[in-house]
Amino acid sequence: MALQVFTAVTGASWESELVGALDREDHGVTVVRRCVDVADLLAAATTGTGQAALLSAELRRLDGAAVARLTAAGIAVVGLVEPGDTRAADRLRQLGVVRVLSADAPAEEIARALRDAVSGGPVGGHDVGDPRSALPVLGLPPEESTRPAGRGRVVAVWGPTGAPGRTTVAVGLADEAARLEVSTLLVDADVYGGVVAQVLGLLDESPGVAAAARQAAAGTLDVAALARLAWAVDPHLRVLTGLARADRWPELRPQAVAVVLEEARRLAALTVVDCGFCLEADEELSFDTAAPRRNGATLTVLEEADEVLCVSGADPVALQRTVRALAELREVLPDVEPVVVVNQLRRGPVPGDARQEIAGALSRFAGREVRAFLPSDRRATDAVLAAGRTLAEVAPASALRTGLRTLAAQLSGATEPGGRRRRRSR
């Protein structure tokens, strides 16, 4: 049976010739509909009459959401670009199109790519290649022009509901890694109450992460654009501020967030992401269509991260929430293996040796070992909030700062200097 294909390559001079070549019986491909725009293509996808779509990079209003809807409808997507147009190929890949071929590829190669896309076979043929590694980095200041060798690491800072100190840990880790001269990007991806900008005194009404997600959805985000959207608060630290209002969460679509993280790996050696707490997927139960997912950004960050830190409080209520959150994470994302960081450790809430009791409880009920214990230092954290600065600036001798510096050195692989301090310029 011939493979049924939709095409959406209108406006290209080679469209008619390509459709005629694909319709030949020896290629095993039948073009069942020639769509004129994205709306026509999405409408055709819902009819169930096609298995794959062949589209061009010049298609108007083509974005990541459209590609995601095609995939959700069971339509495999193959992209075509003008010969040698690596920028268009890069844009299609950002939108989620894995297979991108040059328009001058033989019809049998395009037909094979369509069959492989439906069957999930390997990417091959006359692929134009992944040009992103060859793109120059433009618009970066001299100190940031040297990118990390290879792909940078992404660390997700997550935790249960309540106030275990996720933002405190995320900001502290990013700042301490930057002080260890590791190029670092701090991303606020909390869709419920991101406050990284306020904690650092960066009172800006334009959330950088939303702008980056919009460019990612349009296929125009690259390293230079991401660098322009992030605040350069230190020669080694950039900050991508979060949503100023929680009701703007639909702007952080999961696929766009994944693209932002991919570009972040190219911009910084270490990317620290402050996540939301919730992992529920009520949207999938309440709608019979592809509805926006509020917690999709958090789930995407946890899936894409190289390491997930689960920040827990150090009292019985917080520990119970942590055990439940870890169990939920195991059900939703069984392949994610988080490590636990116990924050706000102090005497009183847990009798006896708090470290030993907490470590034993988490091992017994959650099956997790504790990576680090961070002491409670209310005076230092209050000073941080009042000044809009980091712990290293307002309380350099704080025990909490020492714990964060040690953890940052472990995560970044940098050597921790003894007592070294460096003043940040804004």
Side-chain angles (χ1 to χ4, degrees):
M1 181 177 178
L3 183 68
Q4 296 177 320
V5 176
F6 304 128
T7 64
V9 290
T10 53
S13 58
W14 34 263
E15 191 263 349
S16 297
E17 182 180 351
L18 174 63
V19 171
L22 288 177
D23 267 337
R24 296 175 185 171
E25 293 183 2
D26 54 343
H27 294 320
V29 172
T30 299
V31 178
V32 295
R33 183 162 180 172
R34 297 165 69 176
C35 303
V36 298
D37 54 22
V38 170
D40 191 16
L41 178 60
L42 293 176
T46 62
T47 63
T49 59
Q51 300 166 276
L54 186 66
L55 51 83
S56 60
E58 295 78 15
L59 193 63
R60 286 190 59 197
R61 298 182 179 178
L62 178 65
D63 57 13
V67 175
R69 290 181 61 182
L70 289 172
T71 304
I75 304 297
V77 181
V78 174
L80 290 179
V81 298
E82 294 287 347
D85 192 348
T86 57
R87 186 176 296 275
D90 187 33
R91 176 175 179 268
L92 285 178
R93 287 193 177 86
Q94 281 199 359
L95 298 182
V97 181
V98 178
R99 290 171 172 80
V100 181
L101 289 83
S102 176
D104 61 354
E108 57 269 20
E109 294 290 348
I110 297 176
R112 184 183 304 115
L114 288 167
R115 290 193 295 269
D116 289 342
V118 172
S119 63
V123 179
H126 286 210
D127 189 8
V128 297
D130 189 348
R132 287 181 292 180
S133 59
L135 289 178
V137 181
L138 304 176
L140 299 180
E143 63 272 17
E144 289 289 334
S145 59
T146 303
R147 292 180 290 168
R151 299 173 75 242
R153 300 184 72 246
V154 173
V155 174
V157 180
W158 169 78
T161 184
R166 293 183 298 271
T167 300
T168 299
V169 172
V171 172
L173 287 178
D175 181 62
E176 294 301 333
R179 292 173 184 277
L180 294 173
E181 298 185 354
V182 176
S183 61
T184 306
L185 176 66
L186 174 61
V187 180
D188 189 347
D190 190 341
V191 296
Y192 288 92
V195 293
V196 168
Q198 184 176 3
V199 168
L200 292 175
L202 307 176
L203 300 182
D204 185 15
E205 293 297 326
S206 56
V209 68
R214 284 194 297 271
Q215 292 194 24
T220 59
L221 184 68
D222 56 15
V223 175
L226 185 61
R228 288 192 295 268
L229 292 172
W231 284 74
V233 299
D234 183 272
H236 297 283
L237 177 62
R238 291 182 179 274
V239 179
L240 201 62
T241 54
L243 301 177
R245 291 167 35 185
D247 60 357
R248 296 182 62 178
W249 64 265
E251 298 180 36
L252 298 187
R253 297 297 180 95
Q255 184 177 0
V257 171
V259 174
V260 172
L261 294 181
E262 183 62 29
E263 294 302 325
R265 293 181 186 274
R266 302 175 57 227
L267 176 63
L270 178 67
T271 299
V272 180
V273 187
D274 186 10
C275 299
F277 66 92
C278 191
L279 304 178
E280 295 178 357
D282 291 342
E283 298 86 356
E284 297 177 2
L285 303 178
S286 304
F287 299 89
D288 58 358
T289 58
R293 300 162 54 206
R294 180 166 191 171
N295 304 317
T298 298
L299 295 173
T300 298
V301 172
L302 296 179
E303 285 182 303
E304 297 291 332
D306 298 290
E307 191 152 17
V308 175
L309 301 185
C310 176
V311 180
S312 170
D315 59 82
V317 173
L319 291 171
Q320 184 183 48
R321 289 172 172 170
T322 299
V323 171
R324 292 177 177 175
L326 289 171
E328 184 180 5
L329 178 63
R330 189 179 301 113
E331 293 177 1
V332 177
L333 299 174
D335 295 332
V336 175
E337 296 291 338
V339 296
V340 179
V341 175
V342 176
N343 191 31
Q344 302 171 353
L345 183 68
R346 61 194 185 279
R347 293 183 180 181
V350 178
D353 187 336
R355 290 174 179 256
Q356 183 176 352
E357 294 294 332
I358 292 173
L362 289 175
S363 177
R364 186 182 316 117
F365 297 109
R368 296 292 173 185
E369 302 297 326
V370 179
R371 166 72 70 88
F373 288 94
L374 300 176
S376 176
D377 192 341
R378 188 60 179 270
R379 179 177 297 180
T381 53
D382 285 349
V384 164
L385 294 177
R389 297 279 175 170
T390 63
L391 275 168
E393 293 172 314
V394 300
S398 168
L400 175 58
R401 189 255 169 139
T402 300
L404 288 169
R405 181 177 56 191
T406 301
L407 183 58
Q410 295 173 359
L411 294 173
S412 63
T415 303
E416 182 182 357
R420 181 174 182 178
R421 294 170 56 187
R422 190 167 48 84
R423 185 175 181 179
R424 181 181 65 180
S425 61
R426 289 186 180 275

